[in-house]
Structures are given as structure tokens and as C-alpha cells.
């Protein structure tokens, strides 16, 4: 759960970082079919044919130079889109237009203020975010594999074994370590919600028992207005 910010929030991403952020978004959710259709139309200038099928999680997409279409769905479709937005042929203007649609915010080509490196400036909208302490992010975890190695090292240095007992260590297909939260101690079972979340007595809010040392992903949540909307966070709802 994040603290409210006061200045207009934005971030600068290099062109490579912007492509990686787009792929992270695609892989974080089920195929976003309406968005993918919009992006295919945008990137191909209407030259790539595609169509949807009702109640199916994929698209018929034409191949380069051919009118024949093939069916792509699920993770294969996500990787198809990742490859498309990672193309070095995309101009900064096009990449910014893609970022604006994917992250549902203003995105413009820019240069790094210190190095002059080409990249994308993205308005995150976080200046209007206010944590409601509703516990939504902690009770409906969508970032179980996002604990970093730096988090683990920090918790070890602090001697927070009670937290580390609930971290599972696995390996990705590439052999890289994956730290999974939150596990039931001594078991290969996941907790349904964060075990360090506590209901405040007589109040309609929740508190974090490890707030001072909580993982980076918890401190950064949500990373954008879209992330909040996709995960049920009411922090941007000014009516509440």
C-alpha cells in the first residue's frame, strides 16, 4: 500500500526499458484482446489482417506478405505481441503511442535530462493516488513471484526469519531464482492472502504488520492507474 504523493508523477524509460515494460504488462494479465487488436492495427497501419472469435482467448492473424491467417491464443499470442513491441523498427513516436494505449495514460517521446538518451516519458498519475487501507492488494495477490533477490538479502540481514519462512525459492526455465510469496511455512502451499495483514478493530481498514520492511513490490503497488484498475484498487476513486 503506497503513500500519497503531491508532485505530478512521471517516469522516464529508455526505448529498451519501455519495450520491457510493455512485455511485463502483457505477461501480467490474460490476453488483452481489445487492446491487442488496437495495437496490431496501429503498428501495421492496417496492413495486418486479424479477427476475433466470440468467447475465445485468441485471434486469427495474417502472416507477413500473406492473406492466409493462423490462430494464435493464450501465451503464444502474448509472446507474439511482445515480439512486435520489441522491434527495433519502431520509432520513438510509435513506441510512445503504444505505451499511451497500454498504460492508459499520457506518454511522449523524450530525452533523458542528464544523458540525452532517447526514451519515453510516461505520466503515472500517482500524484492523485491515495491509499484507502482497504487491504485489496494484500488479500488478492497478483504479484506472487515479484519478490526480488535484493529483498531477500535485506530481510536476511535484518534477521527477519519469520518473513523468510514464508518465501519459497524456485527456478525459472532459464535457471534463474524465483522467490514466491506468501507460502505456508514448511509447505508447498500458498496463503490465500498476505499473512501479515491485520484488520484494524472496529474500523473498516487494514494494516501491515511488516510495513517497515515490506517487499519492494508492496511499496510500489500500484505502479499505475491501470494496474490499480486491473486489480480492484480504489485508490484513484475520489468519490470514496
Amino acid at each position: 500500500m503506497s503513500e500519497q504523493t503531491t508532485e505530478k508523477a512521471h517516469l522516464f524509460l529508455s526505448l529498451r526499458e519501455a519495450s520491457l515494460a510493455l512485455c511485463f504488462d502483457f505477461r501480467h494479465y490474460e490476453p488483452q484482446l481489445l487492446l491487442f487488436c488496437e495495437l496490431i492495427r496501429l503498428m501495421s497501419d492496417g496492413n495486418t489482417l486479424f479477427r476475433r472469435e466470440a468467447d475465445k482467448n485468441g485471434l486469427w492473424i495474417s502472416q507477413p506478405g500473406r492473406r492466409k491467417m493462423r490462430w494464435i491464443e493464450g501465451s503464444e499470442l502474448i509472446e507474439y505481441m511482445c515480439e512486435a513491441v520489441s522491434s527495433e523498427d519502431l520509432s520513438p513516436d510509435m513506441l510512445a503511442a503504444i505505451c499511451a494505449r497500454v498504460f492508459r495514460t499520457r506518454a511522449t517521446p523524450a530525452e533523458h535530462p542528464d544523458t540525452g538518451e532517447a526514451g519515453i516519458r510516461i505520466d503515472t498519475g500517482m500524484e492523485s493516488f491515495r491509499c484507502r487501507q482497504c487491504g485489496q492488494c494484500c488479500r488478492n495477490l497478483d504479484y506472487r513471484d515479484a519478490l526480488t533477490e535484493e529483498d531477500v538479502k535485506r530481510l536476511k540481514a535484518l534477521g527477519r526469519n519469520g518473513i523468510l519462512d514464508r518465501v519459497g525459492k524456485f527456478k525459472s526455465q532459464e535457471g534463474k531464482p524465483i522467490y514466491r510469496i506468501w507460502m505456508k511455512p514448511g509447505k508447498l502451499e500458498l496463503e490465500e492472502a498476505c499473512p501479515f495483514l491485520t484488520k484494524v478493530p472496529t474500523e473498516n481498514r487494514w494494516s501491515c504488520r511488516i510495513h517497515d520492511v515490506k517487499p519492494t513490490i508492496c511499496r510500489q503497488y500500484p505502479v499505475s492507474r491501470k494496474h490499480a484498475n486491473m486489480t480492484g484498487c480504489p485508490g484513484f476513486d475520489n468519490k470514496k
Side-chain angles (χ1 to χ4, degrees):
M1 293 179 282
S2 304
E3 292 80 11
Q4 184 179 11
T5 57
T6 55
E7 297 181 359
K8 189 170 181 60
H10 69 274
L11 56 85
F12 174 88
L13 298 177
S14 68
L15 300 181
R16 173 62 176 163
E17 289 171 338
S19 295
L20 291 174
L22 291 167
C23 292
F24 180 84
D25 180 281
F26 296 164
R27 291 168 178 151
H28 197 68
Y29 308 109
E30 289 295 311
Q32 303 168 66
L33 296 183
L34 291 177
L35 172 65
F36 288 175
C37 289
E38 184 179 3
L39 295 182
I40 292 171
R41 187 180 297 111
L42 175 68
M43 289 185 287
S44 71
D45 196 24
N47 292 321
T48 296
L49 302 177
F50 62 89
R51 63 181 174 86
R52 297 178 58 190
E53 284 197 16
D55 301 322
K56 289 192 176 181
N57 199 24
L59 296 171
W60 286 100
I61 301 178
S62 65
Q63 301 302 295
R66 303 179 184 178
R67 296 188 65 83
K68 185 176 181 180
M69 307 176 86
R70 75 181 181 98
W71 177 254
I72 309 178
E73 64 181 343
S75 60
E76 184 183 4
L77 177 58
I78 289 173
E79 293 309 312
Y80 173 91
M81 294 303 301
C82 285
E83 183 177 350
V85 299
S86 299
S87 171
E88 295 182 356
D89 294 333
L90 294 178
S91 68
D93 285 327
M94 177 59 73
L95 197 57
I98 294 169
C99 286
R101 287 163 173 77
V102 172
F103 302 129
R104 303 176 187 173
T105 188
R106 186 170 183 266
T108 55
E111 293 184 353
H112 192 282
D114 297 325
T115 66
E117 180 182 12
I120 310 295
R121 175 188 162 119
I122 299 176
D123 292 348
T124 64
M126 291 303 295
E127 72 279 355
S128 60
F129 175 80
R130 182 169 69 85
C131 179
R132 313 288 176 169
Q133 290 188 276
C134 66
Q136 172 71 16
C137 54
C138 310
R139 287 179 287 145
N140 299 279
L141 303 179
D142 76 323
Y143 47 83
R144 290 192 180 276
D145 291 346
L147 192 72
T148 68
E149 192 162 8
E150 289 70 25
D151 284 323
V152 173
K153 291 179 179 178
R154 177 169 56 86
L155 292 170
K156 285 182 178 179
L158 293 171
R160 300 303 296 262
N161 295 327
I163 300 176
L164 292 169
D165 285 344
R166 295 181 178 274
V167 176
K169 184 176 181 180
F170 303 89
K171 285 188 177 181
S172 67
Q173 292 182 345
E174 296 78 22
K176 296 180 180 180
I178 295 175
Y179 298 98
R180 184 163 297 162
I181 56 174
W182 297 107
M183 309 289 294
K184 295 180 180 179
K187 299 181 180 180
L188 293 176
E189 298 178 25
L190 289 167
E191 297 278 10
E192 291 186 6
C194 175
F196 305 107
L197 183 68
T198 302
K199 181 73 167 59
V200 177
T202 72
E203 296 185 36
N204 188 28
R205 63 187 183 92
W206 300 73
S207 65
C208 174
R209 292 191 286 113
I210 59 169
H211 181 74
D212 58 328
V213 296
K214 63 185 179 182
T216 303
I217 187 64
C218 301
R219 295 183 182 279
Q220 293 178 342
Y221 180 93
V223 296
S224 66
R225 184 183 293 271
K226 175 184 178 178
H227 189 205
N229 291 340
M230 294 287 279
T231 53
C233 171
F236 288 97
D237 188 350
N238 295 325
K239 296 179 181 179
K240 295 184 179 181

